[in-house]
Amino acid sequence: MENRITDIGPPHYAQFFPPVIKKNYGKWKSHEIVQPGVIKYTSETGDVVYAVRVGCARLITTDLVREVCEIADKYCDGYVRWTTRNNIEFHVTDEEKLRALLDDLKGRKFPNGSYKFPVGGTGASVTNIVHTQGWVHCHTPAIDASGVVKAVMDELFDYFGSHKLPAQVRIALACCLNMCGAVHCSDIAILGIHRKPPLVEDDRLEHVCEIPLVVAACPLGAIKPATVEIEGKKKKTVRVNVDRCMFCGNCYTMCPAMPLADGEGDGIAILVGGKISNRISPPKFSKLVIPYIPNEPPRWPTTVKWVKKILETYAQHARKYERLGEWAERIGWERFFELCEIPFTEKSIDDYRLAYDTYRTSLHFKFTSHVEPM
Amino acid sequence: MADIKKHDTPMVDELKSGPWPSFVDDIYSYAEKHQKQACFDLMGQLELSYKHKETHWKHGGIVGVFGYGGGVIGRYSDQQDKFPAIWAFHTIRVNQPASKWYHSSALRKLCDMWDHRGSGMLNTHGSTGDLVLLGTVTEQLEPIFYDLTHQMNMDLGGSGSNLRTPSCCVGKARCEWSCIDTQALTYDLTMTYQDELHRPAFPYKFKFKISGCPNDCVAAIARADLSIIGTWIDDIRIDQEAVRAYVGGELKPNAGAHSDRDWGPFDIQKEVIDLCPTQCMYWDEKEKKLYINNKECNRCMHCINVMPEALRPGTDTGATILMGAKAPILEGAQLSTVIVPFMRLEPPYDNLKELIEKTWDFWMENGKNRERLGELIQRVGLNRFIVDVLGLKPIPQHVREPRSNPYVFWKEEEVEGGWQRDVAEFRKRHPA
Ligand code: HEM
Ligand code: HEM
Ligand code: HEM
Ligand code: HEM
Ligand code: SF4
Ligand code: SF4
Ligand code: SF4
Ligand code: SF4
C-alpha cells in the first residue's frame, strides 16, 4: 500500500494524437472515402490524412495488440486508434505509405486463413458488429457473443469491404435482455433470450439473497416471499408466478439462487429497423420480427440465414440513403414481413406495457399475402 | 510453469475458418506461444458451453482494489476442477483515453504487464468504452493497479452503481462536423468526477456519452443517462461552387459512401431537396444556387452528409443536452429526452456541471435502488423534473407533441380561491 496513487484518471488523449491530428485539431474541412475502408480527410491548412479502418474481433490477445503496434510503428509513427465499433484505425499522410500499408494488411492472416486486418467498415457497408461477452465471460447470457458474431461476419464479409448497400447497416448483438451491447436501436439486432422461468433453490436462497430486493426486482411483480420446510427446518424463500414471468433474468441479477439459463429453452430473437443518427428521420428503436431461433453453436446457421435474408431483401428494395427502418416504414411493416418471408406470429404483437402504441388504429394498411378475406 | 493441459474443442475450432478475424485462432496461437493455461482453459470451458448451450460462469463475486468501489468485476468458473487456470477470472476496466487513440509505446507496456499478471486476453473495447482486461485472480488486482498507475499513468474505469467511464466520438481530432470539443469535455468530466467514478454513491449506474454532431457516432442518445450531442444555432455554411461541382458530377455524393453500386447520376432534387425532412431547401436550377431556410432546418445532417465539400454546420456551436436513455430492463427501452436544446460548452463547463450536479442531487435523494434516471423522470413526470427539479422553463422543444389527454394535475395554489370550500355554502346554491 506504500506510495499508492489513486484517481489519476485516464492518460490525456492529446499525447496519443499523431502530429498531423494535433496540428489540425478542429481545422478539418472535408473528407472523402477514397475506397471502402479508407477515408481521406482534408484540413483548412491543406494537410491531408488517410484513415484506414480495419475489422477486429473484440476479444483479442496481447500478441495481436503487439502486431497492431508493429504496424503502427512501421507506417504511423506508432499511433493507432480504436473506434466505437471495435474497428482499428491506422493513419498515414501520404499515398505511398497508404499503398504499402494496405498491401501489408492484406497479407496478414491467422494460421487457419482468416484475415487479421480486413479493410472496410466505411460508408454504405456492414461495419463491425458491436457485441457483449457471451459465454466467454458473463454469468447471465442466453447465447454466446464472439462465436455468433464470427459466424455472421463470415457470411457478410463481402458487405464489410464494399459499398453496395443503400445506406450503412449497423448490426449489434447482446447476449441477454440487459443489452449491455445496446441493440435496441440497431438496424439488425441479435439478442439472446431465455424462455424458462427461474429455478428457485429453496435451500440456498435465504443465505445468498435479500428477499425484498428480489421481490422488487421483478418488473412483472411475479415474485412473492414464501416459507418452506426442508428437513424439519423453516426456510425463507420465494415463489414465482410463472404465468407472469417474461424471462428477463432480473431476479437472477439480484439473486444467484434463481438461475434461469437452459440449454434447450434459450435462443435468439432478431430485431430490426432501429437507428441512432438524426439523419432524415429521428432515432428509432429496433422492432422484434423473429421472436425465437434455437441456439445452434458453433455456427448458428439459422440466425446467420435470417440476418442475411433481411439484409439482402433490404439491399434489393430500399432507396439510396434509406436506412433499414426507414425502408420498412415506407413500405409498411406488413410488406416487410411479406418481402423478407418472415412468418408473422402472435409473438410479434406486443403484450407488454404501452403495447397500445403499436396497435393499428387506421385503415392505412396494405393488402399482403397475410390477408385472407373472411 | 505448470503443465499445459489441452482440451479438445472441436466445435470452437470450427470458428477458425472463414474470412472474418478468428478470435479462436488468435487465442490458440497466443496460448501455444506463451504456454498460457488460462487461454486453453477458457477455450475448453467455451467448448463445454457450446455443448450445454449454457454459460459456465458463476454469478457474482465482489472483488476490487483498495478504496475503489468500481472498475473490477469478479468472475468465477463453475467448473473449477476441469479448468483450474480460470477458476477466478476477473475483469479489469481500464479508463480509455478519450476517443481511444493510443501510442504503441503505451500499448506495449500494457501488454507486457498483462502477459505477466493476467490471461493475455482483452476486449478492445468494452461497450461502455473502457479498455477491458479479461481474466485475472484476486491476488493480482493490487499489483495490476500499482503497475497501471505507476508505469502507465492509467487508472481504472467504472462499474457498479457509479458513474461509468465517459466516452466520446472522434470529434475535432478528425471530423469536420464536430460542433464541440468532445475529447476535452470527456476528459474534463472524467477528471472532475473521479470520486463518483470510483466510489459508488448512486442508486444505479450513470453514463455520459458525447457526440460532436447529430450523426451521433457514439450512440449517445440511446446509451447515456446524460447525452451531450453537438449542434449549431446559426446557419449551415454553403460553398455554392462546391454545390455546383456535386450537381455537375465532379464530386462524389456522400463522400463516396455508395461507390460499389450504380445508383445513376447524382440528382440534387431527389437526393437532397426531396429528402430534407423539413422541406426547407430549394435548388434554383436556373441560378444554379442552393437556398436553405435555416430557420426551418432541424439540423438532421442529411444534406451535409451528402455534400460534405459544400455544406458545413454553422459556426455558433454548442450542444443539446438530453437525459434518460437506458436499455429495456426494467421499464422498457428509452431514448434520451431533450432537456436543454442549446448549451454553449466552453471550459470549465460550469453551466453543464451545475446541471449535472442538480440532477444527481435529486436522483440520489429520490431514486429507488437500481432506478435509472430515465425511470425516475418517468415516475415524477418530465414536467415536474424540468420545472421543479431543474428550475428550467418548459418549452415546446421538450416534447414531440403536446399531451392529448386533459387529465392535468393542478396544484391548489394555482386555482383561484384554493381547494378549501364550504359544502354548506355550496348547498345553499344547490339544494340536494
Ligand atoms: C442503430 C442502432 C445502434 C447503433 C448504430 C448502435 C451503435 C452502437 C455503438 C457504436 C455502440 C458502441 C458501442 C461502444 O461504444 O463500444 C453501441 C453500444 C451500445 N449501444 Fe448501441 N447501437 C445501436 C443500438 C443500440 C440499442 C438498441 C441500444 C439499447 C440498449 C443501444 C445501447 C447501447 C449500449 C447500452 C451500448 C453499450 C452500452 C453502453 O456503453 O452504454 N444501442 N451501440
Ligand atoms: C439488470 C441488470 C444488469 C446486470 C446484472 C448487468 C451485469 C453486467 C455484468 C456482470 C457485466 C460485466 C460483464 C463482464 O465484464 O463479464 C456487465 C457489463 C456491461 N453492462 Fe450490464 N448488466 C445489467 C444491465 C445493464 C444495462 C441495462 C446496460 C445498458 C443499458 C448494461 C450495460 C453494460 C455494459 C455496457 C457493459 C460492458 C459490457 C461489455 O464490456 O461488453 N448493463 N453488465
Ligand atoms: C458521411 C458521413 C459520416 C462521417 C464522415 C462519419 C464519420 C465517422 C467517424 C469518423 C467515425 C469514427 C468515430 C468514432 O469511432 O468515434 C464514425 C463512426 C460511426 N458513425 Fe459516423 N460518420 C458519418 C455518418 C454517420 C451516420 C449518418 C451515422 C448514423 C446514421 C453514423 C454512425 C456512426 C456509427 C454508429 C459509428 C461507429 C462506427 C464504427 O466505429 O465503425 N455515422 N463515423
Ligand atoms: C378536451 C377534451 C375533450 C373534449 C372537449 C371532448 C369532447 C367530446 C365531445 C363533444 C364528444 C361528443 C361527441 C358526439 O356527441 O358526437 C366526444 C366524444 C368522445 N370522446 Fe371526447 N372530448 C375530450 C377528450 C376526450 C378524451 C381524452 C378521450 C379519451 C381518452 C375522449 C374520448 C371520446 C370518445 C371515445 C368519444 C366518442 C364517444 C362516442 O361516440 O360514443 N375524449 N368528446
Ligand atoms: S448482455 Fe447480458 S449476458 Fe451479455 S454481457 Fe451483458 S449482462 Fe452479460
Ligand atoms: S425472470 Fe424477470 S419476469 Fe421472470 S420472475 Fe425473474 S424478474 Fe420476474
Ligand atoms: S458524431 Fe458527428 S462529429 Fe462525431 S465523429 Fe460522428 S459525424 Fe463526426
Ligand atoms: S440539415 Fe436536414 S433539415 Fe437541415 S437543411 Fe439539411 S436536410 Fe434539411
Side-chain angles (χ1 to χ4, degrees):
Chain A
M1 291 291 161
E2 219 167 293
N3 303 325
R4 208 165 176 279
I5 46 178
T6 63
D7 300 292
I8 58 172
H12 194 272
Y13 52 93
Q15 67 185 292
F16 297 135
F17 285 163
V20 63
I21 295 292
K22 206 176 245 176
K23 178 178 163 207
N24 294 289
Y25 197 82
K27 297 184 193 143
W28 297 105
K29 188 163 166 290
S30 191
H31 72 280
E32 183 194 341
I33 311 175
V34 292
Q35 71 184 66
V38 182
I39 316 175
K40 176 185 178 183
Y41 292 83
T42 311
S43 164
E44 279 158 5
T45 64
D47 286 353
V48 160
V49 70
Y50 296 90
V52 176
R53 187 176 293 174
V54 305
C56 172
R58 192 181 80 146
L59 167 58
I60 62 176
T61 65
T62 51
D63 275 357
L64 193 79
V65 175
R66 285 194 185 90
E67 194 164 338
V68 169
C69 290
E70 181 195 316
I71 297 167
D73 285 346
K74 197 161 163 196
Y75 302 95
C76 319
D77 301 319
Y79 299 97
V80 60
R81 91 173 269 268
W82 266 264
T83 74
T84 46
R85 298 191 79 88
N86 312 323
N87 294 304
I88 304 171
E89 289 180 337
F90 296 106
H91 297 78
V92 292
T93 48
D94 67 83
E95 283 196 52
E96 204 176 313
K97 267 206 178 146
L98 174 67
R99 293 297 141 207
L101 170 64
L102 289 171
D103 273 352
D104 187 340
L105 293 172
K106 207 182 294 170
R108 292 178 189 255
K109 292 187 172 182
F110 285 109
N112 286 279
S114 65
Y115 288 98
K116 282 181 173 171
F117 304 106
V119 175
T122 56
S125 71
V126 170
T127 190
N128 207 341
I129 299 181
V130 287
H131 66 91
T132 46
Q133 308 268 7
W135 293 330
V136 164
H137 208 227
C138 190
H139 60 191
T140 60
I143 58 171
D144 190 28
S146 315
V148 186
V149 166
K150 165 75 173 136
V152 172
M153 284 309 282
D154 276 344
E155 191 66 25
L156 303 185
F157 189 71
D158 196 30
Y159 292 102
F160 176 79
S162 65
H163 290 160
K164 288 192 286 205
L165 299 167
Q168 70 266 53
V169 174
R170 305 294 188 217
I171 307 181
L173 177 147
C175 32
C176 85
L177 300 195
N178 281 339
M179 287 201 193
C180 298
V183 302
H184 65 287
C185 302
S186 298
D187 296 271
I188 303 178
I190 303 167
L191 178 63
I193 54 162
H194 300 288
R195 296 191 308 161
K196 293 189 187 178
L199 299 156
V200 181
E201 285 175 281
D202 287 332
D203 54 346
R204 187 164 163 252
L205 195 133
E206 69 175 345
H207 305 297
V208 294
C209 310
E210 289 194 49
I211 290 174
L213 288 183
V214 181
V215 171
C218 181
L220 280 300
I223 303 176
K224 287 207 167 57
T227 309
V228 295
E229 223 177 80
I230 297 177
E231 290 162 8
K233 277 202 196 125
K234 280 206 189 321
K235 294 247 179 199
K236 291 209 177 83
T237 180
V238 299
R239 283 291 167 264
V240 175
N241 178 349
V242 295
D243 294 335
R244 296 182 83 162
C245 175
M246 49 78 177
F247 325 109
C248 70
N250 210 38
C251 49
Y252 179 58
T253 297
M254 298 310 290
C255 175
M258 297 182 71
L260 73 170
D262 186 274
E264 293 171 332
D266 297 345
I268 285 175
I270 304 279
L271 295 86
V272 306
K275 77 195 267 283
I276 298 293
S277 131
N278 289 275
R279 185 176 188 173
I280 303 180
S281 64
K284 306 179 202 305
F285 289 125
S286 326
K287 281 94 184 147
L288 184 124
V289 296
I290 304 180
Y292 175 75
I293 298 169
N295 234 339
E296 301 168 317
R299 284 208 160 261
W300 287 270
T302 313
T303 300
V304 171
K305 180 195 87 174
W306 278 118
V307 170
K308 192 170 182 194
K309 170 88 182 169
I310 293 166
L311 180 77
E312 292 188 335
T313 309
Y314 154 77
Q316 191 189 335
H317 292 274
R319 294 176 183 163
K320 193 177 175 186
Y321 307 114
E322 201 168 45
R323 293 285 291 266
L324 202 155
E326 295 169 328
W327 165 66
E329 283 174 10
R330 174 169 61 79
I331 62 170
W333 285 98
E334 66 274 32
R335 182 75 74 217
F336 169 88
F337 276 91
E338 187 179 58
L339 285 175
C340 293
E341 299 174 83
I342 298 172
F344 190 88
T345 74
E346 70 175 66
K347 299 284 188 287
S348 290
I349 298 179
D350 196 352
D351 54 4
Y352 197 62
R353 287 176 207 157
L354 306 177
Y356 175 81
D357 288 354
T358 61
Y359 298 171
R360 169 122 33 212
T361 54
S362 80
L363 274 71
H364 301 111
F365 55 81
K366 294 177 180 175
F367 291 119
T368 59
S369 53
H370 306 94
V371 178
E372 293 162 27
M374 285 182 75
Chain B
M1 172 97 354
D3 57 333
I4 300 294
K5 189 177 100 232
K6 288 201 196 179
H7 311 277
D8 277 340
T9 57
M11 282 200 272
V12 168
D13 288 350
E14 287 196 35
L15 293 170
K16 289 177 177 172
S17 64
W20 186 252
S22 170
F23 68 99
V24 178
D25 240 9
D26 182 16
I27 290 171
Y28 270 125
S29 305
Y30 176 86
E32 273 151 25
K33 181 161 168 216
H34 298 263
Q35 301 286 292
K36 205 55 140 179
Q37 185 66 54
C39 297
F40 290 117
D41 279 6
L42 185 73
M43 291 296 102
Q45 183 170 309
L46 187 63
E47 179 75 18
L48 198 63
S49 280
Y50 278 21
K51 197 167 137 205
H52 294 158
K53 301 192 231 177
E54 288 168 7
T55 188
H56 281 291
W57 297 106
K58 283 193 195 187
H59 184 296
I62 295 183
V63 289
V65 303
F66 181 76
Y68 276 33
V72 182
I73 296 157
R75 188 67 78 238
Y76 298 92
S77 170
D78 71 9
Q79 301 289 319
Q80 305 190 344
D81 294 344
K82 276 204 195 79
F83 310 111
I86 55 167
W87 74 274
F89 204 64
H90 311 320
T91 304
I92 314 244
R93 290 189 176 166
V94 179
N95 195 330
Q96 82 289 359
S99 75
K100 306 189 184 94
W101 295 84
Y102 295 94
H103 193 268
S104 55
S105 54
L107 286 174
R108 282 207 167 90
K109 274 196 217 165
L110 190 76
C111 291
D112 292 347
M113 183 280 286
W114 192 235
D115 286 347
H116 176 53
R117 301 198 179 281
S119 72
M121 292 177 280
L122 61 160
N123 283 157
T124 49
H125 294 70
S127 308
T128 316
D130 303 284
L131 182 62
V132 173
L133 304 178
L134 214 62
T136 190
V137 294
T138 312
E139 300 76 68
Q140 287 291 355
L141 296 175
E142 278 298 331
I144 288 167
F145 181 66
Y146 191 93
D147 288 353
L148 278 176
T149 47
H150 285 79
Q151 319 280 336
M152 277 151 254
N153 292 317
M154 290 184 180
D155 199 348
L156 299 186
S159 65
S161 290
N162 60 5
L163 178 64
R164 298 300 176 82
T165 311
S167 69
C168 65
C169 76
V170 73
K172 285 180 190 287
R174 213 189 58 208
C175 185
E176 70 266 28
W177 295 327
S178 198
C179 297
I180 50 174
D181 192 336
T182 58
Q183 282 103 340
L185 179 57
T186 301
Y187 187 73
D188 187 299
L189 292 177
T190 310
M191 296 310 289
T192 306
Y193 298 119
Q194 282 293 301
D195 211 33
E196 285 77 4
L197 191 63
H198 291 137
R199 285 161 210 93
F202 291 157
Y204 200 16
K205 67 179 85 169
F206 197 95
K207 295 177 181 175
F208 294 136
K209 295 203 188 287
I210 303 168
S211 279
C213 84
N215 279 335
D216 194 4
C217 292
V218 284
I221 205 165
R223 307 198 297 139
D225 301 86
L226 194 122
S227 321
I228 301 166
I229 303 180
T231 191
W232 65 97
I233 199 167
D234 55 348
D235 295 351
I236 292 176
R237 285 174 280 170
I238 309 180
D239 174 346
Q240 298 287 357
E241 195 79 27
V243 177
R244 286 190 282 274
Y246 280 105
V247 174
E250 293 124 58
L251 288 171
K252 290 182 275 181
N254 222 74
H258 296 86
S259 58
D260 290 317
R261 185 153 150 190
D262 183 9
W263 293 93
F266 177 66
D267 179 344
I268 193 170
Q269 185 65 35
K270 195 167 129 222
E271 296 185 37
V272 182
I273 311 297
D274 293 348
L275 292 182
C276 168
T278 63
Q279 303 288 298
C280 67
M281 309 184 90
Y282 173 69
W283 167 248
D284 192 317
E285 182 59 43
K286 270 202 229 90
E287 269 185 89
K288 299 277 178 221
K289 204 167 164 199
L290 180 72
Y291 292 93
I292 302 177
N293 181 356
N294 278 283
K295 219 169 138 25
E296 298 306 315
C297 166
N298 67 11
R299 303 168 320 287
C300 81
M301 291 295 293
H302 174 63
C303 58
I304 298 174
N305 287 340
V306 176
M307 303 191 290
E309 297 281 350
L311 303 179
R312 306 177 70 184
T315 51
D316 188 1
T317 55
T320 301
I321 314 294
L322 307 92
M323 293 188 196
K326 54 176 285 291
I329 291 172
L330 300 169
E331 292 297 319
Q334 285 175 216
L335 293 165
S336 275
T337 301
V338 172
I339 301 293
V340 180
F342 191 74
M343 182 183 271
R344 290 200 171 79
L345 286 174
E346 300 297 336
Y349 312 108
D350 287 337
N351 49 355
L352 177 64
K353 286 174 189 166
E354 194 188 318
L355 187 77
I356 290 169
E357 285 159 29
K358 249 189 219 170
T359 304
W360 281 351
D361 283 348
F362 177 73
W363 180 50
M364 282 156 76
E365 194 148 310
N366 297 280
K368 298 190 220 167
N369 182 33
R370 284 168 43 85
E371 184 174 49
R372 292 285 289 269
L373 177 65
E375 288 158 338
L376 177 62
I377 294 175
Q378 287 252 32
R379 183 156 62 82
V380 302
L382 179 65
N383 49 6
R384 295 259 177 287
F385 180 69
I386 287 172
V387 178
D388 299 346
V389 178
L390 298 179
L392 300 173
K393 205 171 90 180
I395 52 175
Q397 282 75 6
H398 286 131
V399 295
R400 195 163 44 226
E401 57 182 38
R403 62 198 293 159
S404 50
N405 75 65
Y407 312 136
V408 176
F409 290 100
W410 296 101
K411 291 181 197 146
E412 182 170 13
E413 61 272 22
E414 289 169 331
V415 183
E416 292 76 6
W419 288 350
Q420 299 304 321
R421 290 180 288 161
D422 185 344
V423 72
E425 285 296 316
F426 183 85
R427 281 293 165 230
K428 278 188 200 154
R429 298 195 298 277
H430 305 280

